[in-house]
Amino acid sequence: MAVYTDVAADELADFLKNYEIGELLSYKGIAEGVENSNFLLHTTSGSFILTLYEKRVALGDLPFFLALMTHLASRGVNCPQPVRDRSGEALRTLAGRPAAIITFLEGIWPRKPNSAHCTGVGKVLAQMHLAGADFAMVRANALSVAGWRPLFEQAAARADEVQLGLRDFLKTELEYLESGVWPKALPGGVIHADLFPDNVFFLEDKVSGIIDFTFACTDMLAYDVAICLNAWCFEPDCSFNVTKARALLSAYGRERKLTKAEEDALPLLARGAALRFLLTRLVDFLNVPKGALVRPKDPLEYVRKLRFHQTVTSIRDYGVLA
């Protein structure tokens, strides 16, 4: 979450007249994240999140995200729900941007994830994959292998300003993953594709819900697991925590068992996931809009994670007996 587009109080108050959620009492921008403009709203009927969609989010994709949240909730996955306006629409326009209001989810995201958090994430990720099995809509993953070279080309000329030798490191890894090694026949379905700690809320050590589906798409389910390994199982110094990985993978497996092919592909998928977030973070780091209320994330974190995954030979290195 972040704020790229500001919204005036009177403009927001007029916008809320289209909804039956009471009158505006206060609102504030949410600085975390990098993709869209987000605000916490307090009205006379409660708290809500307002999102203005921008950057990588295409207008045509928004019905997929909104319908997916509704579908998952109907299958028992706790996630925010779109608030429909008086005419039944979930999507409107505010400040020149597509905008939606979603319900507020109680909980706190973990700043220092522990093994219990990783257990909760593994469980809810598998539950989400199972719940999405009968979701009828499809959205291609624009940030899979075919989408990585355009990102590289955006950042290549300045990559060595961030770290000397980074351009060649990225080029070599990208060429390897583009060479035909990327899996193509693994079980697929709806994935979250961005289930980082700030997108999972907890009440104590129990997951209270998951948020931010603006990268959700149709792809290999094990790729979502690989993203979570990167997001949850490294320490602040980027050392890999095998105990956390074992907790996450074991909890996932109790809900949905990985196939042998998925287990074999996991190290490669984790490399791809690390490269994907390294590239998007690098592009964002080099292109923060002037005046935006946003905290760009360190792309070098994913250099260190990618180097680790390059040394992994099997799922056993993630703490699980194959």
Side-chain angles (χ1 to χ4, degrees), residues 7 12 15-16 19 27 30 37-41 48-52 94 99-102:
V7 178
L12 178 55
F15 179 78
L16 294 184
Y19 297 84
Y27 71 105
I30 301 172
S37 295
N38 291 272
F39 301 85
L40 174 61
L41 310 181
F48 302 89
I49 299 293
L50 166 69
T51 298
L52 275 59
L94 177 63
I101 294 175
I102 61 173

Side-chain angles (χ1 to χ4, degrees), residues 180-202:
V181 299
W182 194 246
K184 296 183 176 64
L186 298 180
V190 173
I191 70 170
H192 185 282
D194 193 37
L195 203 61
F196 276 64
D198 57 354
N199 287 332
V200 184
F201 287 179
F202 287 79

Side-chain angles (χ1 to χ4, degrees), residues 49-214:
I49 299 293
L50 166 69
T51 298
L52 275 59
Y53 296 98
E54 33 202 330
K55 293 192 71 179
R56 298 189 186 97
V57 181
L59 180 61
D61 288 334
L62 296 180
F64 177 93
F65 305 140
L66 298 173
L68 177 59
M69 288 190 284
T70 300
H71 176 88
L72 292 177
S74 73
R75 300 298 189 274
V77 177
N78 197 20
C79 57
Q81 294 301 287
V83 177
R84 298 189 178 276
D85 65 14
R86 297 178 190 276
S87 63
E89 297 296 323
L91 190 64
R92 298 185 64 89
T93 300
L94 177 63
R97 300 286 190 272
I101 294 175
I102 61 173
T103 55
F104 181 79
L105 195 63
E106 294 289 347
I108 299 173
W109 68 268
R111 269 62 176 179
K112 296 180 179 180
N114 57 36
S115 295
H117 294 130
C118 291
T119 295
V121 169
K123 179 178 180 179
V124 77
L125 181 67
Q127 290 174 339
M128 193 204 82
H129 288 166
L130 294 172
D134 60 345
F135 183 60
M137 299 177 72
V138 174
R139 176 180 179 263
N141 185 358
L143 291 173
S144 189
V145 179
W148 297 341
R149 183 156 295 275
L151 292 168
F152 171 74
E153 291 172 353
Q154 287 183 57
R158 297 178 58 198
D160 282 7
E161 296 176 18
V162 179
Q163 183 181 76
L164 188 64
L166 182 57
R167 182 186 185 281
D168 287 344
F169 175 74
L170 292 170
K171 181 175 182 291
T172 299
E173 182 68 11
L174 179 58
E175 288 175 348
Y176 171 69
L177 293 174
E178 288 178 333
S179 69
V181 299
W182 194 246
K184 296 183 176 64
L186 298 180
V190 173
I191 70 170
H192 185 282
D194 193 37
L195 203 61
F196 276 64
D198 57 354
N199 287 332
V200 184
F201 287 179
F202 287 79
L203 292 173
E204 297 182 349
D205 287 336
K206 303 295 183 182
V207 173
S208 61
I210 56 179
I211 67 168
D212 197 353
F213 288 83
T214 52

